Amino acid sequence: MINYIWVFMIVSGIIAAVLQGKIDLVTSAALTGAKDAVAVCIGLISILVFWLGMMKIAEDSGLLKKLTKILRPIAKLLFPSVPENHPAMGYILSNMSANLFGLGNAATPMGIKAMEELQKLNPEPHKATPAMCTLLALNTSGLTLIPATMIGIRMKYDSANPTEIIGPTLLATIVATGGAVLLDRYYRHRHFRGLNTYKK
C-alpha cells in the first residue's frame, strides 16, 4: 500500500509541475533530494557507530545483561506464551534494549529474528500469534530513552540543541507504548473471549 502512496505523490507532483510550467523544479528537487539523502546517511554513520559501540561496551561490561534482567519480567508479562529460555525471548529482549536507545537500525534485525523464532512456536503458520502482534505493537510505538538517530539528524542540520528532543521523545513514546500495550491487551482479551464463545 505504501508503494502506491509514494507513486501517487511522485506522479501527482510531476503532473502539477508540468501544468504550472515548472518541470525544471522537479529535476532540481530530485537531484537535491538525492544529494541530501546521501549526506544525511553519511552523517548518521558516526552517531550509529558511536551508539553501537556503546552497546558493545555495555554488553562486554555486563550492563546489557543487567538491563536484560530488568526487562525480563516485563517481557514475560507481555509475552506469557513464549517460554523463558526460548531463543525468541532473547531476541525480544535485545530488540527492546536497542529500541530503548533509539537504535532502530540495530533493533530491526533483532525484531526480524524474534519474529522468525516466534513463527516456530506458531501452531497456525498462516496466522499471526498474539505474541507476534504484541512484538509488532511494541516496535511500532518504540519506547525510547535516547533517540540516537534523531539526535544524529539534528546534528547534521546544525541544530542549536540537538538533544532537546530527549524529554518530548520519552514522553511521546511512553504514551504511544502505553496505548499500544493497552490496545494489544484489549484485542487479545476480545480474541480469546470470542474463541471461548465460539467453542461453547
Side-chain angles (χ1 to χ4, degrees):
M1 183 63 186
I2 193 72
N3 292 335
Y4 294 116
I5 294 171
W6 279 111
V7 168
F8 170 76
M9 290 172 67
I10 292 167
V11 171
S12 61
I14 292 171
I15 291 171
V18 169
L19 292 175
Q20 295 177 44
K22 297 179 179 178
I23 193 67
D24 56 311
L25 292 178
V26 174
T27 306
S28 175
L31 294 174
T32 303
K35 178 184 172 184
D36 287 347
V38 172
V40 169
C41 288
I42 291 172
L44 283 175
I45 289 173
S46 59
I47 195 76
L48 284 172
V49 167
F50 171 75
W51 281 110
L52 288 171
M54 291 295 285
M55 287 282 282
K56 184 63 180 172
I57 291 169
E59 183 182 356
D60 291 344
S61 67
L63 185 62
L64 202 57
K65 194 173 283 186
K66 288 179 181 177
L67 179 61
T68 301
K69 200 174 284 187
I70 293 168
L71 291 174
R72 190 173 291 277
I74 299 169
K76 283 174 65 179
L77 187 67
L78 292 171
F79 301 92
S81 61
V82 181
E84 189 175 347
N85 296 319
H86 194 275
M89 187 60 79
Y91 286 120
I92 288 168
L93 289 167
S94 298
N95 174 261
M96 290 171 70
S97 299
N99 272 325
L100 281 173
F101 291 103
L103 299 171
N105 292 353
T108 300
M110 298 298 179
I112 292 170
K113 289 297 292 181
M115 281 292 188
E116 287 175 357
E117 292 297 332
L118 288 173
Q119 181 66 358
K120 293 175 183 177
L121 297 171
N122 192 352
E124 299 179 81
H126 60 287
K127 289 183 181 179
T129 63
M132 287 176 163
C133 294
T134 302
L135 181 61
L136 184 61
L138 288 175
N139 271 276
T140 304
S141 57
L143 177 61
T144 307
L145 295 177
I146 304 169
T149 304
M150 286 308 300
I151 290 172
I153 291 172
R154 287 169 64 86
M155 287 173 66
K156 168 64 187 169
Y157 286 103
D158 301 320
S159 170
N161 187 4
T163 59
E164 69 183 353
I165 60 167
I166 291 177
T169 300
L170 180 59
L171 179 61
T173 55
I174 285 172
V175 172
T177 303
V181 170
L182 287 173
L183 284 170
D184 176 68
R185 296 293 104 173
Y186 169 74
Y187 282 107
R188 183 182 290 209
H189 176 71
R190 185 174 162 183
H191 171 73
F192 284 118
R193 190 175 61 186
L195 283 178
N196 292 333
T197 304
Y198 177 76
K199 287 177 182 177
K200 289 177 183 178

